[in-house]
Amino acid sequence: MAPPKKSRELTLELDAGNAAMVDLGKMLGPTGVNTRQVKLDYDAATAGQRGEIVPVVVTVFEDRSYALRYKTPPTAYLIRRVLGLSSGSPRPGSQVVAKMSRAQLREVAERKLPDLNTDDVDAAMRQVAGTARSMGVLIEDD
């Protein structure tokens, strides 16, 4: 028997361990997928990361079955969490909201590494540093 054909692929950013049915219903309702089962599967898989935002790629097949692929939290979210910020700078080029050490930068880069297009931690650190700069975060040189 041939595998089912993919009909749609959606990326959702949901609260880990506590996905909102409203968000799932808005995005998955038109596909005909059982949103309650998707919520149960997502909540069970991300229960250990409660309090974080964990993106998931939902692949919907023509027979209304689905597959979930979990990703790491967004880089900006990880930076804000490490630095204890509520948001980035309203004027990133001229206003600095925080300073980030190289150790904190490495921590975020290592956490984000599986979803980046590199296997090198130094290259991942440069990518995370770019996101930090765009948020108004200054990277300290050790």
Side-chain angles (χ1 to χ4, degrees):
M1 185 171 148
K5 283 189 169 183
K6 180 170 50 169
S7 110
R8 190 180 243 182
E9 191 169 87
L10 306 159
T11 302
L12 309 172
E13 290 187 0
L14 304 167
D15 292 327
N18 190 22
M21 279 300 288
V22 173
D23 296 335
L24 286 170
K26 278 191 241 177
M27 297 300 288
L28 296 177
T31 65
V33 171
N34 183 347
T35 55
R36 185 175 185 282
Q37 190 59 47
V38 172
K39 177 186 171 31
L40 292 174
D41 292 347
Y42 177 83
D43 288 347
T46 60
Q49 297 175 314
R50 273 191 198 277
E52 292 186 355
I53 296 170
V54 177
V56 62
V57 178
V58 181
T59 305
V60 180
F61 300 103
E62 286 182 347
D63 63 355
R64 293 187 181 164
S65 63
Y66 62 90
L68 303 177
R69 185 171 42 97
Y70 303 96
K71 299 178 102 179
T72 57
T75 307
Y77 171 81
L78 293 173
I79 292 169
R80 285 194 322 265
R81 187 162 162 238
V82 164
L83 297 176
L85 298 173
S86 60
S87 68
S89 172
R91 295 188 326 253
S94 58
Q95 183 181 4
V96 175
V97 292
K99 292 183 180 181
M100 186 176 204
S101 70
R102 287 276 176 199
Q104 291 171 321
L105 183 66
R106 180 174 286 279
E107 176 187 337
V108 172
E110 287 173 349
R111 175 85 191 274
K112 193 69 183 163
L113 196 59
D115 284 343
L116 297 177
N117 59 357
T118 183
D119 293 332
D120 182 27
V121 176
D122 291 329
M125 286 174 65
R126 287 192 296 274
Q127 288 182 18
V128 172
T131 302
R133 276 191 301 275
S134 72
M135 294 173 61
V137 174
L138 185 65
I139 306 299
E140 293 179 335
D141 292 324
D142 290 337

